[in-house]
Amino acid sequence: ATAEPTTDQEFVAKALAMDQGEIKMSEGAVKNATNADVKTFAQKMIDDHTKNREALLAVAKDMKFAVVA
């Protein structure tokens, strides 16, 4: 298990990394899943986590955090 973030910047960095992981995993499901419901759900995950990343990147920029986009 990973340690809980202790600073705002640490939280932002970990949340961005987790969102990116969800997006990558879901992209694989969209590409490889055989069930239409799984593909639909995976696309929703991509859409939702992409929006989350965009919003969090804006927060990071406003707070002048150096994070990997």
Side-chain angles (χ1 to χ4, degrees), residues 19 23 45-56:
D19 273 336
I23 292 166
M45 292 281 290
I46 292 168
D47 296 344
D48 290 349
H49 284 278
T50 298
K51 287 178 194 171
N52 290 345
R53 277 185 59 76
E54 290 168 357
L56 196 51

Side-chain angles (χ1 to χ4, degrees), residues 11-66:
F11 170 78
V12 169
K14 286 186 179 194
L16 287 169
M18 292 174 70
D19 273 336
Q20 189 60 34
E22 294 284 349
I23 292 166
K24 292 292 182 193
M25 179 181 60
S26 297
E27 286 172 344
V30 166
K31 181 179 176 183
N32 299 316
T34 57
N35 182 284
D37 290 336
V38 171
K39 286 185 181 229
T40 299
F41 184 81
Q43 186 59 56
K44 181 172 175 17
M45 292 281 290
I46 292 168
D47 296 344
D48 290 349
H49 284 278
T50 298
K51 287 178 194 171
N52 290 345
R53 277 185 59 76
E54 290 168 357
L56 196 51
L57 284 168
V59 168
K61 182 179 178 182
D62 288 346
M63 297 183 79
K64 299 186 182 354
F65 290 162

